[in-house]
Amino acid sequence: EPEVTQTPSHQVTQMGQEVILRCVPISNHLYFYWYRQILGQKVEFLVSFYNNEISEKSEIFDDQFSVERPDGSNFTLKIRSTKLEDSAMYFCASSEDWVGQGVSPLHFGNGTRLTVT
Amino acid sequence: SQQGEEDPQALSIQEGENATMNCSYKTSINNLQWYRQNSGRGLVHLILIRSNEREKHSGRLRVTLDTSKKSSSLLITASRAADTASYFCATLRMDSSYKLIFGSGTRLLVRP
């Protein structure tokens, strides 16, 4: 069964450094998302992406964050200048169709654990 | 504002028993979904229920939705040790097109 893959599985970075988290969504999916989860707590929405542009973002997703689909397969999340509080598990997800259709669930990758020291 | 809060936060049962988890939300929704997360892994979709549906079944899972009470429940029947995981409800609000909002989850432990 096709799956969402994320790399790396664990990233350690120093405060102030830029990080890029990578995701390969399922190939025929059109909608892409980033979520994060701090230490087994609530899963928080960051951003959704469709048709090569951000369709919705949360208040967490400030100008330190950006997303890109640089080619036909990858979907990346960049954090420009990491802070200690950015330490979390970051999950990429994709869906075949608009989630509001009530047909297409989100398919999640296994996440990238980001540790900012 | 928070949307989708699960109750209880943690649940411990014996294998073979039924597990019931509840989810409450605050605003009108388009649909509600339940996901499962094994420790250190991504979330896996279990079941989706639309706002005009009241009950849905999938194998040992039964989900109900009461839009008047703004609540949903997930019932796992005849639980197995392999059902041990965290379970999250997620809602798509009517005023939001793309933002599926997750609750805090219920940690289920099924003792063999």
Side-chain angles (χ1 to χ4, degrees):
Chain A
E1 185 174 320
E3 55 182 33
V4 175
T5 56
Q6 289 187 244
T7 55
S9 56
H10 192 187
Q11 172 97 43
V12 181
T13 189
Q14 287 193 325
M15 199 166 52
Q17 295 295 304
E18 173 184 289
V19 293
I20 297 176
L21 310 182
R22 300 179 195 280
C23 169
V24 179
I26 295 173
S27 61
N28 65 331
H29 285 190
L30 301 177
Y31 296 79
F32 314 112
Y33 313 83
W34 283 100
Y35 283 79
R36 78 175 187 190
Q37 185 179 35
I38 295 175
L39 213 62
Q41 293 177 26
K42 190 184 282 261
V43 178
E44 299 175 301
F45 172 85
L46 294 178
V47 67
S48 59
F49 191 86
Y50 169 69
N51 202 24
N52 277 323
E53 59 183 27
I54 290 173
S55 44
E56 196 158 356
K57 61 183 181 178
S58 72
E59 51 280 358
I60 301 169
F61 194 89
D62 60 23
D63 55 11
Q64 291 299 307
F65 291 85
S66 62
V67 288
E68 198 178 31
R69 189 152 161 83
D71 52 42
S73 59
N74 291 284
F75 180 51
T76 62
L77 173 70
K78 183 194 293 186
I79 309 175
R80 273 182 252 290
S81 176
T82 50
K83 308 183 189 87
L84 293 176
E85 54 265 36
D86 293 328
S87 294
M89 185 76 100
Y90 287 80
F91 291 103
C92 173
S94 67
S95 64
E96 187 174 357
D97 205 342
W98 173 48
V99 68
Q101 294 274 37
V103 175
S104 299
L106 269 58
H107 295 256
F108 283 81
N110 282 325
T112 293
R113 180 173 300 283
L114 176 66
T115 303
V116 182
T117 61
Chain B
S1 63
Q2 290 179 331
Q3 178 86 334
E5 293 297 321
E6 289 88 340
D7 158 58
Q9 289 187 324
L11 181 61
S12 178
I13 59 173
Q14 203 70 37
E15 205 165 28
E17 292 180 340
N18 295 342
T20 300
M21 288 158 268
N22 302 297
C23 169
S24 60
Y25 56 91
K26 291 187 162 68
T27 63
S28 297
I29 59 169
N30 176 304
N31 66 69
L32 185 145
Q33 305 179 27
W34 285 90
Y35 288 78
R36 166 196 166 121
Q37 184 182 35
N38 283 54
S39 182
R41 309 279 288 179
L43 290 92
V44 175
H45 177 259
L46 295 175
I47 199 162
L48 181 154
I49 188 164
R50 296 191 188 89
S51 59
N52 61 352
E53 296 176 311
R54 292 297 164 256
E55 190 170 311
K56 228 169 168 183
H57 297 253
S58 177
R60 292 183 296 114
L61 305 180
R62 174 178 164 246
V63 167
T64 61
L65 179 65
D66 186 336
T67 52
S68 66
K69 293 181 180 173
K70 292 188 170 56
S71 68
S72 172
S73 67
L74 170 68
L75 168 68
I76 304 174
T77 59
S79 63
R80 305 166 184 165
D83 294 329
T84 294
S86 290
Y87 291 82
F88 294 86
C89 71
T91 53
L92 182 71
R93 288 163 37 165
M94 291 297 282
D95 62 352
S96 170
S97 296
Y98 301 96
K99 187 163 61 175
L100 197 64
I101 300 295
F102 286 79
S104 305
T106 292
R107 290 188 310 281
L108 174 67
L109 172 65
V110 182
R111 303 187 305 275

